[in-house]
């Protein structure tokens, strides 16, 4: 699948600029197996790069200007590297402007280049195409001009570029896009950036994403509210247990012992967080032991927590997970990402994928009048130079 994308992207570059590209980069989207809403709550996440990518073709142009072409959008823009970089009304260009600005602000010196890119990452599905765009652009400029930038710094520069665009994201998306390894998930500490790989052999099960095709507008305001509620809850925990520094130090038993000192809503939020941190640890153990059925059960538990305690689900996602729970071919399902729409991640017994897709597609259309999309994903390498 990616071979055709590479061929088409390089051919488009040659047609546009009259010569072959000097560097070709693949930068992947990502999934998160478990550990949702934990990146800003001092826990761990368990992401992985996937085989859906953005392909970039680059070449120097011996000027002080860069021209970038988005093949899929049939749009392009030019940026003068000697001028101050500012935000544009054309949103997709800002991710690349932001990357160039971050590189310049951090003292990296480079000249003008031409770039074309094309993608098979479904946009708006929660697979983090923006992080792939940022990290792939940095990787290409680094390779083209022989810049000395470590992988972790590519991640951090990409994150800063997204902050400049106006999205206050955590580090997980960029980190997993750069550090991904085939058939490995990354247990990442989002505070220290310490990480370790765990095998991602799902044995008799396939990983399939169900795209709900909805995105409810609650996300931004509710996301900010959840952060505040968790901060309030943690402050109360620390008052009662001075030795506790963060949620990862808190046991469920300790939390239950002070339930009457916390408002019901805040208690639900922090109860989810404490349990979810433990689920990430259990999920790593399940993968290490090849116990994929336990991993599936943990996914169901996470969805229950996200829906009933963290309250970031919606009717469409709950219906998909409830239906999955009743289906013998599916051993685990949960909403993936911030919530209020987007995808569910599902573990489906191999050989049953098509019948499951047909059943869910019909049921979803009958219930909501919305077409359900499906993405078969494999865990793949991070951003690479071909």
């Amino acid at each position: 699948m990616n071979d055709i994308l590479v061929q088409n992207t390089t051919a488009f570059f040659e047609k546009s600029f009259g010569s072959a590209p000097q560097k070709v980069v693949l930068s992947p989207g990502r999934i998160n197996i478990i550990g949702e809403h934990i990146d800003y709550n001092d826990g761990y996440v368990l992401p992985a790069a996937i085989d859906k990518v953005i392909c970039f073709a680059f070449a120097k142009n011996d000027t002080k200007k860069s021209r970038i072409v988005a093949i899929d959008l049939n749009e392009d823009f030019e940026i003068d590297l000697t001028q101050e970089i500012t935000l544009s009304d054309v949103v997709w260009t800002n991710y690349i402007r932001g990357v160039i600005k971050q590189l310049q602000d951090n003292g990296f010196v480079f000249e003008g280049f031409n770039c074309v890119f094309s993608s098979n990452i479904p946009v708006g599905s929660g697979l983090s195409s923006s992080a792939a765009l940022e990290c792939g652009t940095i990787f290409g400029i680094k390779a083209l001009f022989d810049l000395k930038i470590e992988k972790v710094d590519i991640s951090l520069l990409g994150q800063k570029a997204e902050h400049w665009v106006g999205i206050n994201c955590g580090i997980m998306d960029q980190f997993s896009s750069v550090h991904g390894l085939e058939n490995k998930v990354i247990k990442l500490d989002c505070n220290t950036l310490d990480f370790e790989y765990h095998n991602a052999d799902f044995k008799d099960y396939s990983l399939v994403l169900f795209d709900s095709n909805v995105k409810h507008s609650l996300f931004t305001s509710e996301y900010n509210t959840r952060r505040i509620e968790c901060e309030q809850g943690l402050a109360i925990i620390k008052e009662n247990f001075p030795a506790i520094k963060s949620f990862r130090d808190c046991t469920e038993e300790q939390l239950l012992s002070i339930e009457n000192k916390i408002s019901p809503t805040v208690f639900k939020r922090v109860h989810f967080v404490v349990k979810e941190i433990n689920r990430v640890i259990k999920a790593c153990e399940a993968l290490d032991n090849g116990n994929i059925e336990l991993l599936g059960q943990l996914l169901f538990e996470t969805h229950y927590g996200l829906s009933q305690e963290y309250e970031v689900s919606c009717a469409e996602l709950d219906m998909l997970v409830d239906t999955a729970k009743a289906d013998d071919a599916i051993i685990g399902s949960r909403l993936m990402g911030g919530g209020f729409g987007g995808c569910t991640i599902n573990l489906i017994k191999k050989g049953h994928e098509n019948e499951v897709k047909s059943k869910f597609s019909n049921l979803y259309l009958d219930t909501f009048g919305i077409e359900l999309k499906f993405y078969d994903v494999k865990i793949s390498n991070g951003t690479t130079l071909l």
Side-chain angles (χ1 to χ4, degrees):
M1 178 174 65
N2 290 338
D3 290 345
I4 295 169
L5 183 68
V6 171
Q7 289 170 15
N8 291 343
T9 305
T10 53
F12 193 98
F13 187 97
E14 289 186 37
K15 183 180 174 185
S16 299
F17 298 107
S19 61
Q22 294 169 311
K23 303 291 180 184
V24 176
V25 171
L26 295 182
S27 191
R30 66 97 191 95
I31 56 172
N32 186 29
I33 302 295
I34 203 164
E36 218 61 83
H37 285 277
I38 298 302
D39 54 344
Y40 56 86
N41 277 316
D42 198 36
Y44 310 99
V45 289
L46 199 64
I50 57 172
D51 57 346
K52 305 271 188 279
V53 302
I54 302 177
C55 178
F56 300 81
F58 290 88
K60 298 177 182 179
N61 63 18
D62 300 319
T63 74
K64 300 292 186 184
K65 294 181 178 179
S66 292
R67 185 169 167 227
I68 295 98
V69 182
I71 299 174
D72 309 328
L73 298 174
N74 195 27
E75 294 180 11
D76 66 279
F77 77 104
E78 189 173 80
I79 183 166
D80 188 334
L81 301 180
T82 66
Q83 301 296 311
E84 184 185 355
I85 295 172
T86 56
L87 288 166
S88 165
D89 292 336
V90 184
V91 175
W92 71 266
T93 71
N94 289 331
Y95 296 98
I96 295 171
R97 294 175 198 274
V99 156
I100 291 171
K101 178 174 170 56
Q102 291 304 320
L103 287 169
Q104 289 181 340
D105 288 353
N106 282 273
F108 294 102
V109 178
F110 52 96
E111 301 293 312
F113 60 89
N114 297 324
C115 170
V116 306
F117 67 90
S118 183
S119 174
N120 56 29
I121 303 173
V123 176
S125 57
L127 301 183
S128 209
S129 55
S130 61
L133 185 59
E134 293 148 6
C135 296
T137 303
I138 298 170
F139 212 89
I141 296 171
K142 162 185 149 66
L144 203 55
F145 296 98
D146 197 28
L147 304 179
K148 301 294 183 267
I149 314 175
E150 298 295 327
K151 275 187 174 183
V152 67
D153 293 317
I154 294 176
S155 309
L156 291 165
L157 288 165
Q159 181 193 26
K160 285 179 182 174
E162 191 138 345
H163 289 177
W164 180 78
V165 172
I167 300 161
N168 192 26
C169 63
I171 191 64
M172 177 179 76
D173 297 349
Q174 290 81 6
F175 196 95
S176 47
S177 187
V178 173
H179 289 80
L181 280 182
E182 188 174 5
N183 298 323
K184 299 283 185 183
V185 295
I186 308 165
K187 183 189 175 192
L188 171 65
D189 181 328
C190 292
N191 283 351
T192 65
L193 300 189
D194 290 336
F195 68 100
E196 59 190 35
Y197 291 106
H198 292 264
N199 287 329
D201 180 0
F202 299 108
K203 299 189 178 293
D204 299 328
Y205 301 94
S206 298
L207 211 52
V208 183
L209 307 182
F210 297 178
D211 187 345
S212 68
N213 251 332
V214 297
K215 194 68 185 172
H216 295 288
S217 59
L218 287 165
F219 176 67
T220 303
S221 61
E222 292 293 331
Y223 175 84
N224 292 334
T225 302
R226 294 301 176 279
R227 293 192 73 146
I228 293 165
E229 288 165 341
C230 289
E231 287 166 9
Q232 291 171 347
L234 183 59
I236 297 168
I237 292 167
K238 287 178 174 178
E239 283 174 16
N240 288 272
F241 300 99
I244 290 177
K245 303 292 183 223
S246 72
F247 282 117
R248 73 176 68 177
D249 304 324
C250 182
T251 67
E252 188 179 0
E253 289 71 26
Q254 287 173 316
L255 183 59
L256 290 170
S257 74
I258 58 168
E259 181 176 359
N260 63 343
K261 299 179 180 179
I262 306 174
S263 76
T265 297
V266 170
F267 177 80
K268 284 194 296 185
R269 307 298 189 246
V270 296
H271 193 223
F272 166 76
V273 169
V274 169
K275 289 194 293 184
E276 184 73 351
I277 289 170
N278 287 326
R279 278 191 286 265
V280 174
I281 295 165
K282 289 178 183 175
C284 291
E285 293 170 356
L287 283 168
D288 292 344
N289 297 326
N291 190 346
I292 309 307
E293 290 76 12
L294 173 57
L295 178 65
Q297 184 56 42
L298 292 168
L299 296 188
F300 280 132
E301 289 177 15
T302 288
H303 184 82
Y304 176 86
L306 287 167
S307 175
Q308 301 302 311
E309 293 192 312
Y310 220 67
E311 296 183 282
V312 292
S313 190
C314 59
E316 295 89 348
L317 295 172
D318 284 344
M319 176 267 190
L320 290 172
V321 175
D322 288 344
T323 307
K325 194 174 276 188
D327 193 309
D328 291 340
I330 304 177
I331 60 160
S333 178
R334 71 171 188 85
L335 77 85
M336 188 184 75
F340 303 109
C343 289
T344 63
I345 182 170
N346 303 270
L347 286 165
I348 303 176
K349 194 160 185 62
K350 287 179 179 173
H352 294 263
E353 296 94 340
N354 288 338
E355 66 183 70
V356 165
K357 289 175 185 177
S358 177
K359 169 187 165 182
F360 274 72
S361 186
N362 292 330
L363 199 55
Y364 193 71
L365 188 63
D366 289 346
T367 306
F368 297 108
I370 301 170
E371 181 189 353
L372 192 62
K373 293 181 181 175
F374 303 95
Y375 311 124
D376 300 301
V377 294
K378 289 187 168 48
I379 292 179
S380 190
N381 287 316
T383 308
T384 50
L385 189 65
L386 292 187

